[in-house]
Each structure stands twice: as C-alpha cells, then as structure tokens.
Amino acid sequence: MYQSLQAGGNFSGLNVSQMPLLNLNIPKSEFRCCRFSRSAFRRMNFQDCDFINCTFDFAVHEEVQFIDCSFIHCVFSGARLHNFQMRRCELIENNFNGCHLSNAIFDDCDLTRSRFIGTHLFDTEITNCNVREAYFIDIVQKRLSFRMSNPKDAYMARPSANSGGELGYAPIHT
Amino acid sequence: MRLFTLNVEQQETENSYLIAPDNASDAILVDPTSFTVSMLRTIEDNELYIRSILLTHPRELRVSGIGTILKVYDATLYATYPNVHGYPTARVQGGDTLELSGFHVKVLSLDEYSRHAVMFSVSSFLFCGPAMSAGIVAENGTQIERMLLAEALRKQFSMLSPTTLLFPLHGPPSTIEAELTLNIDLTDPSDGGVL
C-alpha cells in the first residue's frame, strides 16, 4: 500500500483507519470516500492531491504538509494536528470541529463554510485565507492570527436569544 | 457505492446528495432543494438515472426542483407526507426499510421532534437533512425544538456505528462519534447544553 500511495493515482473507498503512515511523499492523487480516521501521519507531504468526502476524524498528524491540495466535504473532527501546514489549498465546507491545532499554518487557502466549532487553535496562522461563512464558534485560542484574511466575514458567535436565531458576527483580534 | 454531493446556492448553501451503486445506473437523490444545470451534468456525466428521491423533512425543505426532476426522470418520491407540492409520494415512516437501487435504505424517525422528520440510513451513511449540521442541532429551531431534537438524535445515534458518516442539508459532513463526543448540543443533556 505504501508503494501505491507514493506512486499516486485514484483511490476510492480506501480505508487506512488507525494506521500509521510515516515519511511519505504523496504526489498528485485523488482520494474519494477514503477513511483516514484515527490514523497517525508523521512527516508526510501531499502535493496536488484531491480529497473528496474523506474522514480524518480523531487522527494525529505531526509534521504534515498539504500543498496545492483540495479538500471537499472532509471530516477532521477531533484530530490533533501539530506542526501542520496547508498551503494554497481549497478547503471548502470541511469539518474541523473539536480539533486541536498547534503550530499550524493555513496559507493562501480557501476555508469557505468550513467549521471550527470548539476547536483549539494554538500558535495557528491563518494567513491570506478566505474564511467567508466559516464558523469559529466556541474556539479556544492562543496566538491565533488571521493576518491578511477576512475574519469579519466569518461567524464567531452562537445564536443568542436576541439574535432571532441568526448566527452572530463578532470582531476578533487579528 | 458512489456518492456525490450537490451544492445548491440559494439563500444559504444547501446540500443534496446523489448515491448510486458502483456498477449500475439507477441512483437515489436525497433532499433535492433545487435542480440546477450542474446537478443535471453530474447525473448525466456519470450515466446515472434518478429512480428514487428521498425527502427528510418536506416541510422545512425548499423543493422547487422536484417538478423538473420528475419531468426528466421517472422517479418515485419517498417522504412522510402523502404528497409534496402536489406530487404524490410513497409514504414512509420510522422503522421502514426500503430496497432501492440495490441498497437497503432504513428510515429513522425523529418522532420526539416531529412525526414528519426522518433520516435515511444507507450503508455507512446517514442523511439527516435539516435536523442537524456539524456541531449544531437544528440551527434555525427554537430552544424547545432543539432540546427535543437533541434527545431524538442521541437516541438514534446510539444505535448506529460510531463510524457512520453524517450528511446534513447544511454544512460539512461529520461522523456519529464526532457529534456524540464533540457537539455540545448533544453531549451535555444534564446541564441543558442546548438551552
């Protein structure tokens, strides 16, 4: 399996849940409905990969880079992402609820409608990213930066009794 | 199984889902709130034919595209109502199992919330409609609706595999395990998390 991943290609329904993946460079590939739940990635590099309806929930990723990748409707809930980088990635409508991110970088990414509800964002840089209609609700943050991004277009608060059920917009220090 | 998520940009973005067997053309469409050119293209490019349309909660869904879909495809509507926008349905209720396009489709009720709201379980996928979205129960509901719905969802989720993937009408997908452990609307019933 390691060899086929490193060769790149189209993977549909691949299930590597609970498996460790170490020291791999994954070239242009498409992953559709693949399961990476509770996987452990360490020192992995993904380039030009597309992930569609894939799950990474409760995974542990350390020193992982995704460059020029796209993630459509993927689930990262509860994942622990340390020294984690996403650069020039399309991340439309992905689920990062309850993730623990530390030393993480999202650079030049489109995070439209992605959710970070209850997410821990420590030493995380969201730089030059589109966060339109993304949810950053109930987050726990320390040194979170939205440099050159548009947090004013994101949702930062839960509905309150006097908001008529609408999600609130709230300023955040950038 | 092939799964396609079809985004429809209306007042807010809504998801419809298309599921089909790997090697057959008969497909199931879940919660089509509209019928757009891009949806038609996805169906036709993959040589699919819509045989069944599942509606999770017709009262809350904008189903303006159903008339068009039924003109193009000879499909059967499945819903809790006897008809939707004048189109007759094959009525379903919680506990039913349907055999559609080679799939066992289980109908899961949300009676504590509404007798007209159901979810559809297909293989390891659960299509939950507007009942919830990732991290939030019934975003537009009242507090009492959300509390009742949270109770109904906890009951149904406890009977499903934790790895089941949840596909809501709004927002990204999730998993049963993620919602039961991370969604405070579902995890804190004792202290009234949704109230």
Side-chain angles (χ1 to χ4, degrees), chain B residues 4-24:
Chain B
F4 303 89
T5 303
L6 311 167
N7 272 142
V8 180
E9 293 270 0
Q10 299 198 18
Q11 288 172 336
E12 52 185 328
T13 304
E14 296 179 332
N15 302 318
S16 300
Y17 300 97
L18 183 63
I19 41 179
D22 285 327
N23 301 308

Side-chain angles (χ1 to χ4, degrees), chain A residues 3-174:
Chain A
Q3 285 177 337
S4 65
L5 281 173
Q6 281 199 295
N10 290 346
F11 302 91
S12 180
L14 177 74
N15 188 348
V16 289
S17 295
Q18 304 188 37
M19 285 180 63
L21 292 174
L22 307 171
N23 300 316
L24 292 178
N25 292 308
I26 312 292
K28 186 175 175 60
S29 301
E30 181 183 288
F31 297 89
R32 189 177 280 275
C33 291
C34 294
R35 296 264 184 166
F36 300 94
S37 304
R38 294 190 187 281
S39 59
F41 287 4
R42 186 150 191 200
R43 288 193 293 275
M44 298 278 290
N45 295 304
F46 294 83
Q47 179 98 33
D48 288 315
C49 293
D50 296 331
F51 298 87
I52 302 152
N53 288 132
C54 295
T55 58
F56 300 85
D57 49 321
F58 303 102
V60 178
H61 291 183
E62 198 170 339
E63 294 177 60
V64 174
Q65 269 197 123
F66 294 93
I67 297 174
D68 293 315
C69 295
S70 84
F71 295 81
I72 309 290
H73 287 103
C74 294
V75 181
F76 288 85
S77 301
R80 290 181 177 271
L81 311 173
H82 180 62
N83 283 338
F84 178 84
Q85 295 187 21
M86 287 194 169
R87 296 187 186 275
R88 298 187 302 275
C89 291
E90 186 179 306
L91 287 148
I92 295 176
E93 232 170 52
N94 292 278
N95 180 352
F96 291 89
N97 293 349
C99 280
H100 286 242
L101 288 96
S102 54
N103 290 307
I105 295 173
F106 294 88
D107 180 28
D108 196 11
C109 295
D110 188 348
L111 289 156
T112 298
R113 295 192 301 274
S114 284
R115 294 198 179 184
F116 293 80
I117 300 176
T119 302
H120 291 228
L121 296 153
F122 293 166
D123 296 296
T124 295
E125 292 177 24
I126 298 175
T127 304
N128 194 24
C129 291
N130 181 10
V131 293
R132 184 177 62 88
E133 294 176 34
Y135 287 41
F136 290 90
I137 298 171
D138 300 336
I139 59 169
V140 179
Q141 59 105 355
K142 202 171 180 182
R143 291 183 292 278
L144 166 64
S145 158
F146 280 101
R147 194 163 57 88
M148 295 170 68
S149 298
N150 56 339
K152 67 180 190 314
D153 296 328
Y155 299 112
M156 299 289 178
R158 278 186 176 268
S160 60
N162 56 7
S163 70
E166 294 295 317
L167 287 157
Y169 289 89
I172 191 163
H173 300 292
T174 58

Side-chain angles (χ1 to χ4, degrees), chain B residues 149-169:
Chain B
L149 188 50
E151 187 181 332
L153 289 167
R154 274 194 299 273
K155 185 174 148 191
Q156 291 292 4
F157 288 178
S158 67
M159 292 185 280
L160 295 168
S161 163
T163 60
T164 302
L165 269 168
L166 287 175
F167 291 99
L169 181 66

